[in-house]
Amino acid sequence: MKLQEINKVNFEGMENSITGVLELYTTTCPVCVQLKPVLEEVAQEFDNINFYTINAQENMSVARKFKVMSVPTTLILKNGEVAEKIIGFKNKEELKQIIQKHF
């Protein structure tokens, strides 16, 4: 799959049913910049899982909903519920292991 950029309008339409990986980031966060290409690579390896990314600064309501206190925060979601919260950078293999644990 491809990493899809969404916003709060997109999210509100699917928030109760969203299943997949959601990364919350900001454009001023150096670690977020490092994580994005890793997440894009991981997304390419999973055909059956949706991968989303959302700017936490521009979509504060989504960040508040998930109690995001720092970025990057990557969420594993199942039917809108957080199955796992990952804070900070993880390398490709670490991310794949965490995702495989849930799907």
Side-chain angles (χ1 to χ4, degrees):
M1 286 268 176
K2 181 179 123 176
L3 184 61
Q4 303 170 53
E5 180 79 28
I6 62 171
N7 59 38
K8 71 178 183 176
V9 174
N10 304 117
F11 179 77
E12 287 168 358
M14 62 182 169
E15 76 178 283
N16 294 326
S17 62
I18 188 171
T19 296
V21 179
L22 174 65
E23 180 216 13
L24 290 100
Y25 74 96
T26 64
T27 56
T28 57
C29 162
V31 178
C32 299
V33 172
Q34 278 185 299
L35 180 61
K36 191 163 192 160
V38 174
L39 206 50
E40 287 172 340
E41 279 185 44
V42 171
Q44 294 295 325
E45 295 189 24
F46 291 94
D47 291 334
N48 58 335
I49 302 170
N50 292 312
F51 285 78
Y52 305 98
T53 185
I54 189 166
N55 187 316
Q57 278 180 314
E58 295 174 1
N59 301 279
M60 289 299 290
S61 62
V62 177
R64 277 193 294 279
K65 174 183 174 37
F66 293 113
K67 298 176 177 65
V68 171
M69 302 302 283
S70 64
V71 290
T73 295
T74 306
L75 305 171
I76 308 296
L77 299 171
K78 290 194 171 181
N79 296 319
E81 298 295 320
V82 177
E84 188 159 342
K85 184 184 271 191
I86 307 157
I87 299 170
F89 182 85
K90 297 286 185 214
N91 68 38
K92 183 177 175 181
E93 290 308 312
E94 291 171 319
L95 279 173
K96 284 172 60 175
Q97 282 183 336
I98 293 167
I99 293 166
Q100 287 170 333
K101 189 170 63 173
H102 294 283
F103 294 99

